[in-house]
């Protein structure tokens, strides 16, 4: 079997090579490509990397057959943890020490989702997290990881999808207003496996999430979905990296966000690297932002690096827009009030994406949350 | 009762070179139960008239008045106009991604009536309206106007007309881009609406073709932002035979 690790290390100029060594991830100045959008001060010292024994409280719902166990750092490496690709994730690996392994054994088909609820008590707590989600060969599972409360939380999460497995994983950032969350999710997709990773960010003062994907063999498919809603003063950043390390693989990225209120800032970076071996791959990435008020900023940067000409398809789209006057006019000309028309447009904007998530309970809750977010601000003065 | 009265309506749009006058004093009255056709060449201001009556924010009303049963339409917001009984079938209906036709129709009906329709009869009414316009039952699950063919967009506009049941309907080139079968289906929809008591119709068109299916009471030739001539259905026949030539030269 061809392994991604055995390939000549092609260095993507947009993505520093992964490494556990802190020396490879110096404290950023803010001018680095991977840090230029992030307000470093608001990280509240996470990058200094002090040791800390603080932790989040865990509440889990594990269907039969699924286990959650502590493993050593050595074991984490052995089973194929994906190495850190920035300083916060390197610090998380170094400081968390032991890792938690959420294991769905091979050939297991779950009918209920695995739910992990992580809750923080206070932003004074500095928490380092290290998690590995492993879906065995030909398993089929849904994993929901929800974050609430507050903390300064930096976590490195690896998702290992076995050959032929089908994994649906969703991470929800529903923090209180002052939380800081730096999350690195990296996924390795096995041969002919399918993974859907959804990142949903509503709360937090500063949330910066990576979703990286690479492929251990041909035929793997990854859907990377995201939904975010930034209010006054919030910084929500999502960094995608689809690294096509094997032929005949697919990546499909769709992130949608809405912004409202003074100082709401969102960042979306969509990097795709198609390596020389990655012939016959297909990739598409899309980011759409809906700006609901003045004083917001949405940065959206798609990047495509191609090292082989033999691809099936590669495309990207990025758009940031305000409410479309023509849409509002059309709805209002049918008697619908301005407030209701705006609600419908936003609902519609997210609806297409929410329906792709494939976890019915979550889909319903997200539609409600979107409504609640809207009620907070956009519809207020109307 | 429904009377739409347009008096000396003047409308401009703002352009990079300042305001541009498009409607230069339009006067016409659609009395209770009447159907009027407005015919005119491209660019004569027909859509501007339709949008101005509906309240599109792009158009500045610089003079004149529009009343519906004596109520000042120009003082109303866009949605108030619709709730007062005006309906505009648009020349280019707008896509609303992610909002299903059935959700849209229910929301609009609730807004117009001021209360949610009774579920059972409403579902029946929607299905009947869609069926009569040759729209298949899955149509309700599609996003509003997204990926619709030109014909589907127009038939969807007429389905709304029938379901929302306004007092006065303005149809802006609903016939354009329709093949003959679709034109018949759409015309039948409009005629069902007209058959009800006291409904007014302002039928805007570029071609005389649709007037074979929908008989107007009055025909107005619209040139350069004004009504150039008004008459009975015979005026449409003259246009059919001779085109707009006579009116265009007269207006220069
Ligand atoms: N935003 C605009 N800026 C400049 N001219 C406009 C604008 N909108 C419409 N017009 C002009 O107004 C005139 C009337 O347009 P319209 O009402 O669409 O005509 P019709 O529907 O009869 O084809 C046209 O000459 C058109 O170019
Ligand atoms: Mg027109």
């Amino acid at each position: 079997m061809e392994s991604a690790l055995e390939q000549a290390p092609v260095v993507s100029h947009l993505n520093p090579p992964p490494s556990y060594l802190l020396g490879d991830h110096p404290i950023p100045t803010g001018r680095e490509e991977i840090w230029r959008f992030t307000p470093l001060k608001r990280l509240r010292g996470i990058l200094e990397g002090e040791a800390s024994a603080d932790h989040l409280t865990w509440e889990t719902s594990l269907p039969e057959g699924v286990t959650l166990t502590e493993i050593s750092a050595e074991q984490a490496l052995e089973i194929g943890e994906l190495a850190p690709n920035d300083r916060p994730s390197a610090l998380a690996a170094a400081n968390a020490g032991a890792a938690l392994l959420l294991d769905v054994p091979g050939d297991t088909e779950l009918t209920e989702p695995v739910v992990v609820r992580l809750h923080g008590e206070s932003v004074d707590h500095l928490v380092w997290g290290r998690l590995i989600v492993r879906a065995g060969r030909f398993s089929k599972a849904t994993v929901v990881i929800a974050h609430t409360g507050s903390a300064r939380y930096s976590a490195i999460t690896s998702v290992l999808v076995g050959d032929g497995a089908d994994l649906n994983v969703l991470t929800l950032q529903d923090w209180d207003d002052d939380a800081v969350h730096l999350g690195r999710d990296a996924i390795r997709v096995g041969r002919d496996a399918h993974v859907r990773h959804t990142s949903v960010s509503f709360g937090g003062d500063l949330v910066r999430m990576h979703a990286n994907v690479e492929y251990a063999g041909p035929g793997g498919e990854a859907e990377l979905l995201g939904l975010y809603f930034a209010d006054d003063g919030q910084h929500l950043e999502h960094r995608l990296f689809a690294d096509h390390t094997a032929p005949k693989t697919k990546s499909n990225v769709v992130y949608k966000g809405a912004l409202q209120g003074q100082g709401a800032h969102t960042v979306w970076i969509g990097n795709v690297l198609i390596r020389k071996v990655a012939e016959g791959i297909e990739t598409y990435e899309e980011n759409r932002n809906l700006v609901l008020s003045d004083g917001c900023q949405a940065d959206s940067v798609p990047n495509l690096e191609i090292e082989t000409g033999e691809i099936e398809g590669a495309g990207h789209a990025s758009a940031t827009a305000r409410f479309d006057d023509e849409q509002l006019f059309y709805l209002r000309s049918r008697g619908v009030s301005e407030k209701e028309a705006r609600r419908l447009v936003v609902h519609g904007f997210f609806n297409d994406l929410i329906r792709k998530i494939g976890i019915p309970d979550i889909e319903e809750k997200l539609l409600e949350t979107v409504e609640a977010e809207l009620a907070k601000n956009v519809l207020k003065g109307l | 009762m429904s009377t739409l009265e347009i008096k000396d309506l003047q409308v401009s749009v703002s352009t990079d070179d300042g305001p541009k006058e498009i409607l230069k004093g339009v006067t016409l009255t659609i009395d209770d139960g009447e159907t009027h056709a407005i015919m005119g060449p491209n660019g004569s201001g027909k859509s501007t008239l339709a949008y101005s009556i509906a309240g599109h924010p792009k158009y500045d009303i610089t003079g004149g008045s529009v009343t519906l049963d004596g109520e000042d339409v120009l003082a109303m917001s866009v949605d108030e106009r619709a709730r007062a009984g005006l309906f505009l079938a648009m020349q280019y209906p707008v896509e609303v991604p992610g909002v299903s036709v059935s959700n849209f129709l229910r929301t609009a009906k609730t807004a117009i009536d001021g209360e949610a329709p009774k579920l059972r009869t409403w579902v029946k009414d929607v299905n009947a309206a869609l069926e009569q316009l040759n729209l298949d039952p899955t149509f309700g699950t599609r996003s509003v106007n997204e990926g619709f063919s030109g014909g589907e967009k127009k038939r969807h506009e007429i389905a709304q007309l029938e379901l929302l049941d306004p007092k006065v309907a303005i149809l802006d080139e609903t016939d354009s881009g329709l093949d003959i079968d679709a034109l018949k289906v759409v015309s039948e929809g409009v005629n069902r609406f007209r058959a009800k008591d006291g409904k007014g119709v302002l039928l805007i068109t570029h071609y005389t073709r649709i007037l074979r299916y929908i008989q107007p009471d009055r025909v107005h030739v619209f040139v350069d932002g004004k009504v150039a001539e008004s008459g009975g259905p015979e005026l449409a026949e003259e246009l059919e035979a001779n085109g707009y030539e006579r009116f265009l030269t007269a207006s220069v």
Side-chain angles (χ1 to χ4, degrees), chain A residues 138-212:
Chain A
F138 302 112
S139 65
K140 188 170 190 313
T142 295
V143 176
V144 175
I145 302 172
H147 304 89
T148 56
S150 192
R152 283 172 292 149
Y153 182 49
S154 175
I156 176 166
T157 301
S158 302
V159 178
L160 311 176
V161 189
D163 293 348
D166 186 358
L167 179 67
N168 192 359
V169 45
L170 178 136
T171 164
L172 172 64
Q173 289 69 247
D174 198 11
W175 297 104
D176 291 346
D177 286 346
D178 58 353
V180 180
H181 182 184
L182 306 178
R184 197 286 330 242
D185 289 6
I187 306 163
R188 185 179 296 123
V189 186
R191 185 188 175 97
D192 300 324
H194 174 264
V195 65
R196 180 184 300 130
H197 177 279
T198 306
S199 184
V200 180
S201 303
F202 286 110
D205 175 60
L206 187 151
V207 172
R208 174 180 146 124
M209 305 296 290
H210 289 269
N212 301 340

Side-chain angles (χ1 to χ4, degrees), chain B residues 48-70:
Chain B
T48 302
L49 176 64
Y51 277 129
S52 300
I53 298 170
H56 194 292
K58 181 172 117 182
Y59 301 95
D60 297 321
I61 313 293
T62 55
S65 66
V66 178
T67 58
L68 178 64
D69 296 333

Side-chain angles (χ1 to χ4, degrees), chain B residues 32-48:
Chain B
D32 200 34
E34 285 184 349
T35 294
H36 289 216
I38 287 191
M39 305 196 56
N42 280 333
S44 56
K46 304 182 299 296
S47 290
T48 302

Side-chain angles (χ1 to χ4, degrees), chain A residues 34-171:
Chain A
I34 64 165
W35 287 106
R36 66 190 177 101
F37 291 104
T38 316
L40 297 179
K41 276 208 191 92
R42 283 161 62 187
L43 299 182
R44 296 180 172 227
I46 292 180
L47 294 174
E48 280 145 40
E50 281 168 42
S52 165
D54 296 336
H55 53 81
L56 304 176
T57 54
W58 285 58
E59 199 187 295
T60 57
S61 152
L62 306 177
E64 207 179 306
V66 179
T67 56
L68 181 66
T69 51
E70 199 173 293
I71 58 172
S72 68
E74 291 70 39
Q75 286 172 306
L77 264 65
E78 258 169 51
I79 67 170
E81 180 184 57
L82 290 132
N85 57 291
D86 67 355
R87 183 170 177 87
S89 48
L91 288 168
N95 289 333
L100 284 163
L101 173 65
L102 181 71
D103 208 16
V104 180
D107 295 304
T108 310
E109 275 205 26
L110 301 184
T111 50
E112 290 294 306
V114 177
V115 182
V116 178
R117 293 175 191 283
L118 303 179
H119 185 81
E121 292 302 331
S122 159
V123 74
D124 295 335
H125 294 178
L126 174 64
V127 183
W128 304 106
R130 184 173 190 178
L131 174 67
I132 298 173
V133 176
R134 182 166 69 175
R137 298 182 72 185
F138 302 112
S139 65
K140 188 170 190 313
T142 295
V143 176
V144 175
I145 302 172
H147 304 89
T148 56
S150 192
R152 283 172 292 149
Y153 182 49
S154 175
I156 176 166
T157 301
S158 302
V159 178
L160 311 176
V161 189
D163 293 348
D166 186 358
L167 179 67
N168 192 359
V169 45
L170 178 136
T171 164

